[in-house]
Amino acid sequence: MAKPAIMTVDDDAEVLGAVERDLRRRYAEHYRVMRSGSGTTALDALRGLKKRNDPVGLLLVDQRMPEMTGVEFLGQSMEIYPDAKRVLLTAYADTDAAIHAINDAKIHHYLLKPWDPPEEHLYPVLDDLLEEWQASFRPSFEGVRILGHRWSPDSYAIRDFLARNQVPYRWFDLETADKDAEVRRLASAVEPDPSRLPVVLFPDGSSLAAPGTTQLAERLGLRVRADLPFYDLMIVGGGPAGLAAAVYGASEGLKTVMIEREAPGGQAGMSSRIENYLGFPSGLSGGDLARRAVAQAKRFGVEILSPQEAQSVRVEGPSRMVKLGDGSELGCKVLLLATGVSYRKLDVPGAERLQGRGVYYGSAMTEAMSCQGEDVYIIGGANSAGQAAMYFSKYARRVIMLIRGGSLSTSMSQYLIDQIKQTPNIQVETRARVAELHGDGHLEAMSIHCGESGQIEKVPTNSLFVFIGAEPNTDWLVRTVERDARGFILTGNDLMRDGKPPSGWLLDRDPYLLETSVPGIFAVGDVRHGSVKRVASGVGEGSVAVQFIHQYLSAV
Ligand SMILES: Cc1cc2nc3c(=O)[nH]c(=O)nc-3n(C[C@H](O)[C@H](O)[C@H](O)COP(=O)(O)OP(=O)(O)OC[C@H]3O[C@@H](n4cnc5c(N)ncnc54)[C@H](O)[C@@H]3O)c2cc1C
C-alpha cells in the first residue's frame, strides 16, 4: 500500500519550501510529503490520489493565498478526503478568521507562523493529529474499482468478467451516489464522461473508460495470445471437461493450448455451491473449482488464452486449424471441443431489451449485493436454478421461483428441494410462466401467466434470473462436424449408421469413443450428444478423451 500523504499548500515558495523541509525531516519515513503552490493544483492532486485510492492523512495549508484561501481549500478538500486532518497556517493577524474556520470549515487545528522551532510549535500538534488519524484509518481496497450504473449491461459484463476471472474488484454504483458518500467522492474525483461508462480504475491510478473485455484482459495481464503457432492438443472451452482434458493432456506430455471465450470454469464457474462433486463433502463453489483447476493446468504448462473465441475450423491434411476472434489462426494435431451449453434466451416481449438491465442468464452472482432487501425472480426448475435460489435467498427479501411443471421433483435433486423447503424466504410458484417484461431503462415489473387460474398477474421486480433449457455452443461448427437435430455433437458409436461410419470418413477404423465425424477432432462434456450434464461426467469425459487422443496420435 502507498504511504499516506501529508500535503502542504502555500503560494509563497519560500514558506512552502520551509514547511516541506520540516515535514520531511519528521514524517518522510512513514508518510509521503507532497507540496502544492495553490489551492487549485492541490485539489487536482487530491483528485489524482483519490483515483489511485491512496490515503491522505493531513493537509497543512496557508490561509492567505490569492486565488483560493486556505479555509476555502480545506472546505473543498472535505468532498474528496473528509477524514484527512485539516490544519490552517495563519499569521497572527488572521487568528480570528482561523478560530471561525474551526467551526465553518471544520478545521482540526490552526498554527501560527513562524512555527520555529518545529519541535516545539509544529510536531507536537501534527503528531497528535496524525496519531488520531491513524487510529481510525482503515487501509483502502487496493484492487480494481469500477464506477458505473447498476442497470448498464456494460457494467454488468465487466463485473461478471472480473468475478469469473477471479480478479478482486470493488463496485461503485452511481445510482447510489445520493446515499453513498464514497461513490460521490470517487465520481467527483474521476469526473466520468456519462457516454463512456463504466470507468475501470487500476491501483496505479490509470483508468479505462468503457473498455471491452479483451482490452481489460490485456490491461490486467491475462493471456490472450498464444506463444506458438502449432500445438499437439488444442482445447476449445475451459469448463470442467476442457480443463480436465488440459490437465491430463499436458501432464502426459502433450503441448497443450486452451481457448476460452469468457473465463475458465464454464457453467460450473457460475455455480454458487457444487455439493455433489466427489471429494468435497461440504461442497465447493464453482469459482473455487475453476481456480484450482486453472492452477493445476498451468502447473503442467497449459497455455490458457482467455478471453479468446474460436470462430471456425478447417482441416489441412493432418493439421486442424482454428480461426480465433482476433483474426489469428492457430494449428494443432488434435482438436478437442468442450464448448458446453448456454442458457436459452427467454422469448417474451421485453426480454431482449432488458437483458443485462435486470434480466440475467445464469446465476449472475455479482448481482447478489445489489438485490439486498428486494424481491428476486428465478425462472427454471433444475439444479442450477435451485442453487441460485439458495444463494440469492441470503441477500434478497424474497426469492420467487417460477416453474412450468407441478413440482420441482422431476427436475431437481432431492437435497436441493429439501434445502429450498427449509428456506422461509423462497417461494415456489408452479405452473407459472413469464408473459412479458416491463421497464424503462431497466426491469421494473413482469407479467406472469398462472396456469391454474389462467390469469395474468403483473408484479414489481428489478431482478430476474433465467435458467431455461440449454443450447449447445456449436453454431461455429455447422459445416465441420456432424451434430444432432438440436446441435449437440455426435461422437463415437452415435455416428455409426447400420454399422458403418459417417459418409466422408476415410479411415479403415471406426471413430473412437468421443471422436467426432472428423478424425482428430474430439468432443467432450455438455456439448456432446447424449452426455450427462454434470461436472463429474464432464471431468470424466475430458480425462478419458486423452487416452483416445494418444491412440489417434500414434497412428498419424
Ligand atoms: C448455475 C449452475 C449450477 C450447476 N451446478 C451443478 C452441480 O451442483 N453439480 C453438477 O454436477 N453440475 C452442475 N451444473 C452443471 C455443470 O456445471 C455442467 O454440466 C458442466 O459445467 C459442463 O462442463 P463442460 O466443460 O462440458 O461445459 P461448460 O461448463 O459449459 O464450459 C464450456 C466453456 O466453453 C466456452 N466456449 C463456448 N464456446 C466457445 C468458443 N467458440 N470459443 C471459446 N470458448 C467457448 C464457454 O465460455 C464455457 O466456458 C451446474 C450448472 C450451472 C449453470
Side-chain angles (χ1 to χ4, degrees):
M1 192 193 70
K3 284 182 192 172
I6 294 178
M7 187 182 284
T8 180
V9 191
D10 202 324
D11 65 310
D12 181 330
E14 211 173 302
V15 179
L16 184 63
V19 182
E20 186 194 9
R21 188 196 56 227
D22 284 345
L23 289 175
R24 277 193 197 286
R25 191 146 59 85
R26 176 83 166 190
Y27 301 108
E29 194 185 337
H30 301 294
Y31 292 87
R32 176 178 165 200
V33 176
M34 299 173 72
R35 54 183 272 172
S36 200
S38 75
T40 339
T41 52
L43 285 173
D44 282 346
L46 286 184
R47 285 191 198 98
L49 290 169
K50 189 80 199 169
K51 276 195 205 166
R52 285 205 294 275
N53 224 12
D54 288 350
V56 175
L58 186 134
L59 303 165
L60 176 57
V61 188
D62 193 62
Q63 164 61 1
R64 283 207 186 180
M65 293 190 291
E67 57 167 14
M68 185 187 285
T69 67
V71 170
E72 281 165 352
F73 166 78
L74 288 174
Q76 293 191 34
S77 75
M78 276 194 290
E79 287 164 25
I80 311 170
Y81 279 99
D83 299 327
K85 295 296 174 191
R86 294 176 287 280
V87 182
L88 199 64
L89 204 51
T90 59
Y92 181 73
D94 295 328
T95 311
D96 279 351
I99 292 169
H100 285 305
I102 290 183
N103 290 332
D104 302 343
K106 297 198 170 56
I107 66 163
H108 297 99
H109 217 287
Y110 71 91
L111 287 168
L112 288 179
K113 286 196 268 190
W115 58 89
D116 275 333
E119 282 71 15
E120 242 174 72
H121 300 301
L122 183 69
Y123 298 150
V125 171
L126 300 194
D127 282 355
D128 198 38
L129 288 170
L130 285 168
E131 216 169 275
E132 199 181 307
W133 178 79
Q134 283 285 3
S136 58
F137 168 60
R138 298 280 163 273
S140 49
F141 174 72
E142 288 197 38
V144 171
R145 287 167 300 153
I146 311 162
L147 183 68
H149 285 286
R150 175 181 172 189
W151 305 120
S152 145
D154 295 337
S155 291
Y156 168 65
I158 285 176
R159 281 180 291 140
D160 190 51
F161 173 78
L162 293 178
R164 292 182 60 194
N165 280 285
Q166 327 261 339
V167 179
Y169 69 84
R170 200 171 150 201
W171 163 234
F172 292 81
D173 180 2
L174 282 164
E175 312 268 339
T176 64
D178 54 339
K179 291 179 273 176
D180 188 336
E182 234 346 77
V183 174
R184 264 199 317 279
R185 268 177 230 129
L186 186 61
S188 87
V190 174
E191 293 178 328
D193 172 352
S195 66
R196 306 216 50 221
L197 284 169
V199 176
V200 181
L201 298 122
F202 301 95
D204 66 358
S206 62
S207 60
L208 287 175
T213 48
T214 306
Q215 192 186 3
L216 196 53
E218 278 174 348
R219 178 65 185 69
L220 291 166
L222 301 179
R223 187 195 274 255
V224 288
R225 278 175 244 293
D227 279 351
L228 305 173
F230 198 84
Y231 291 81
D232 295 329
L233 171 61
M234 188 189 313
I235 298 166
V236 181
L243 283 165
V247 166
Y248 277 87
S251 68
E252 290 171 20
L254 299 177
K255 192 78 202 142
T256 304
V257 66
M258 170 180 279
I259 317 293
E260 167 53 53
R261 71 178 175 191
E262 289 168 16
Q267 293 169 71
M270 287 152 60
S271 167
S272 50
R273 195 120 217 111
I274 300 167
E275 300 204 42
N276 53 3
Y277 190 57
L278 189 69
F280 295 88
S282 50
L284 85 168
S285 73
D288 227 15
L289 181 66
R291 191 176 45 74
R292 285 161 185 263
V294 166
Q296 202 173 4
K298 285 188 177 165
R299 189 163 71 81
F300 286 120
V302 178
E303 272 181 52
I304 301 181
L305 313 188
S306 174
Q308 186 65 268
E309 188 176 45
Q311 294 191 332
S312 62
V313 186
R314 70 186 171 86
V315 174
E316 200 181 284
S319 308
R320 276 81 190 107
M321 307 300 295
V322 175
K323 181 130 188 268
L324 302 182
D326 64 2
S328 62
E329 201 174 47
L330 269 188
C332 59
K333 293 179 186 164
V334 176
L335 176 63
L336 182 85
L337 304 170
T339 50
V341 298
S342 296
Y343 284 108
R344 244 193 8 248
K345 295 281 185 288
L346 191 61
D347 186 17
V348 299
E352 200 180 329
R353 184 172 54 84
L354 296 170
Q355 182 172 340
R357 302 173 191 274
V359 178
Y360 306 98
Y361 291 89
S363 108
M365 286 184 281
T366 47
E367 292 309 293
M369 292 306 282
S370 309
C371 297
Q372 255 169 350
E374 298 182 359
D375 280 357
V376 161
Y377 283 78
I378 288 179
I379 313 183
N383 279 5
S384 48
Q387 280 178 14
M390 289 303 300
Y391 183 72
F392 285 111
S393 70
K394 294 184 208 125
Y395 302 88
R397 187 171 70 108
R398 241 174 9 134
V399 176
I400 301 110
M401 297 186 75
L402 305 177
I403 59 168
R404 274 174 179 255
S407 85
L408 289 173
S409 58
T410 49
S411 52
M412 194 178 286
S413 298
Q414 191 58 42
Y415 79 91
L416 267 173
I417 297 177
D418 294 343
Q419 287 179 7
I420 287 170
K421 275 192 190 142
Q422 283 156 20
T423 310
N425 65 336
I426 302 182
Q427 187 179 320
V428 180
E429 297 286 341
T430 56
R431 302 198 196 288
R433 68 180 168 80
V434 174
E436 188 173 353
L437 302 177
H438 314 272
D440 185 15
H442 67 92
L443 179 68
E444 287 167 294
M446 54 197 243
S447 298
I448 302 170
H449 181 268
C450 170
E452 316 250 291
S453 64
Q455 302 282 313
I456 290 192
E457 188 193 355
K458 191 170 172 182
V459 295
T461 186
N462 292 143
S463 303
L464 171 66
F465 299 93
V466 183
F467 296 82
I468 49 167
E471 284 174 347
N473 296 314
T474 57
D475 287 354
W476 61 293
L477 295 165
V478 174
R479 273 179 286 279
T480 313
V481 293
E482 282 199 19
R483 305 178 306 155
D484 69 12
R486 293 170 59 207
F488 288 90
I489 300 173
L490 295 165
T491 52
N493 258 343
D494 293 329
L495 288 160
M496 306 295 282
R497 309 234 160 75
D498 303 325
K500 293 204 185 88
S503 60
W505 182 267
L506 302 175
L507 304 182
D508 56 5
R509 63 166 175 84
D510 293 341
Y512 291 126
L513 186 76
L514 306 175
E515 194 173 22
T516 68
S517 56
V518 179
I521 301 186
F522 291 76
V524 291
D526 281 16
V527 76
R528 200 179 63 76
H529 167 87
S531 63
V532 177
K533 311 287 185 273
R534 287 282 186 271
V535 175
S537 47
V539 167
E541 288 189 11
S543 318
V544 167
V546 174
Q547 180 59 32
F548 296 103
I549 288 170
H550 282 305
Q551 285 184 31
Y552 168 82
L553 286 172
S554 66
V556 285

